[in-house]
Amino acid sequence: MGGGGGGGGADGGSYNALHPEKVKIAATCLVVVVGVYLLGLYLKSSAEWRSNLSLSLNKKKKKKPIRVYMDGCFDMMHYGHCNALRQASTLGDQLVVGVVSDDEIIANKGPPVTPVHERMIMVNAVKWVDEVISDAPYAITEDFMKKLFYEYNIDYIIHGDDPCVLPDGTDAYALAKKAGRYKQIKRTEGVSSTDIVGRMLLCTRERSISDSHNHSSLQRQFSHGHSQKFEDGGSGSGTRVSHFLPTSRRIVQFSNDKGPGQDARIVYIDGAFDLFHAGHVEVCYAFPVSSHVRAF
């Protein structure tokens, strides 16, 4: 009986012993499972790393908006100025506008009609303008250009395709062009501050020459871009015909991206708004209207 018990113990040990081939297969399976698991962890961490890197790069891009600078006299501000500012705003994310000082205008062009503080009000009211710099120089000097680049973080300097020549005959934007930081927009034909002054002088002169010229007659003259001949046989200096047509495309360009909200307070104000000036702007802003309402 005891021998039988011993024999049974020996048989049991033989049964529990693992076969070398089975051990090899089990080990291989274990290695495969662990390998697959580690590969999954690696791919997951790699995907997360790429995702974090992409988010980081996007954040860096968002932190550095493209800032563009445009200067001007903006004397007797008109829709040509507004169209220039609209075009400039499309070349960057933020538009900084420099309003040339009275002294600089006097030295380079002649005395302005409107003083700098009124011109500042007008420019600041334009919805495409993000920031305004007062008393800007007429020409882009090296010192002022460095100030724009390093203090105001300006990426590009914008100007119209019309030449801007200094009294000494040099280009006012030569340094910006040389630095490769200059961009150009198309000038709005058919209107200028000088032309508006000419219309005013023409209107006054014709009224003094002939009292028979009534208001509707003058309107017809200006709408056709010329003046009638004077009684002495000479012809007056005509005004140019504006090519700035109020087409559907142009209206969309000047419109806001969205309309008023459901609970917005809408205020109506009318007026002739002839020779639109800072007083008109202040009247428009005298009402607590929603932020999307702008003077232009």
Side-chain angles (χ1 to χ4, degrees):
M1 291 294 293
D11 292 341
S14 175
Y15 176 80
N16 291 330
L18 296 175
H19 194 278
E21 197 66 32
K22 292 182 178 180
V23 172
K24 186 177 180 180
I25 294 172
T28 303
C29 291
L30 181 61
V31 169
V32 171
V33 170
V34 173
V36 170
Y37 175 73
L38 293 176
L39 179 62
L41 289 178
Y42 169 77
L43 293 176
K44 182 180 179 181
S45 62
S46 178
E48 290 178 350
W49 179 81
R50 286 196 300 270
S51 177
N52 292 334
L53 178 62
S54 178
L55 289 173
S56 178
L57 292 175
N58 289 334
K59 285 182 180 179
K60 287 183 179 180
K61 289 181 179 178
K62 291 180 180 179
K63 287 181 180 178
K64 184 60 177 69
I66 298 175
R67 287 169 60 84
V68 296
Y69 171 82
M70 183 176 186
D71 59 13
C73 300
F74 303 105
D75 194 18
M76 301 182 68
M77 195 163 180
H78 49 72
Y79 63 74
H81 293 133
C82 295
N83 192 39
L85 295 173
R86 179 192 66 80
Q87 292 181 77
S89 69
T90 64
L91 300 178
D93 301 310
Q94 297 175 355
L95 174 60
V96 181
V97 179
V99 180
V100 179
S101 68
D102 293 340
D103 292 338
E104 285 282 290
I105 297 176
I106 292 172
N108 290 276
K109 297 181 68 175
V113 177
T114 51
V116 66
H117 71 274
E118 291 185 14
R119 292 184 280 118
M120 287 281 294
I121 292 173
M122 297 291 290
V123 173
N124 197 47
V126 180
K127 63 184 175 182
W128 298 290
V129 176
D130 298 293
E131 188 177 340
V132 181
I133 300 175
S134 179
D135 295 326
Y138 188 81
I140 302 294
T141 62
E142 188 171 354
D143 290 339
F144 185 68
M145 187 169 65
K146 288 180 179 179
K147 185 176 182 180
L148 289 177
F149 293 159
Y150 299 111
E151 185 175 332
Y152 290 97
N153 298 316
I154 299 299
D155 296 290
Y156 297 102
I157 295 172
I158 315 296
H159 187 64
D161 56 8
D162 54 317
C164 185
V165 182
L166 299 175
D168 60 2
T170 58
D171 185 357
Y173 296 88
L175 292 176
K177 293 176 181 178
K178 185 178 180 180
R181 307 280 286 272
Y182 176 84
K183 288 190 176 184
Q184 193 167 274
I185 59 172
K186 185 173 177 57
R187 183 184 183 279
T188 304
E189 296 293 339
V191 64
S192 68
S193 298
T194 304
D195 184 63
I196 292 174
V197 172
R199 296 183 203 177
M200 295 168 63
L201 294 175
L202 176 65
C203 178
T204 304
R205 184 180 181 186
E206 292 198 354
R207 282 177 181 268
S208 64
I209 289 176
S210 176
D211 293 333
S212 62
H213 288 180
N214 55 33
H215 182 69
S216 60
S217 174
L218 288 172
Q219 283 187 325
R220 287 195 299 272
Q221 294 167 36
F222 292 137
S223 66
H224 286 85
H226 60 81
S227 64
Q228 292 180 340
K229 291 185 177 181
F230 297 127
E231 292 180 354
D232 58 2
S235 59
S237 58
T239 59
R240 291 172 295 175
V241 178
S242 173
H243 298 289
F244 194 83
L245 300 176
T247 61
S248 298
R249 177 174 174 270
R250 185 69 73 190
I251 292 173
V252 169
Q253 288 175 336
F254 273 70
S255 299
N256 291 323
D257 295 332
K258 57 182 180 180
Q262 185 176 358
D263 299 326
R265 182 185 179 189
I266 301 174
V267 177
Y268 169 79
I269 181 171
D270 60 8
F273 301 109
D274 193 17
L275 295 175
F276 199 82
H277 53 74
H280 293 133
V281 174
E282 291 178 348
V283 168
C284 291
Y285 279 100
F287 302 95
V289 294
S290 55
S291 59
H292 69 272
V293 178
R294 306 290 290 179
F296 292 101

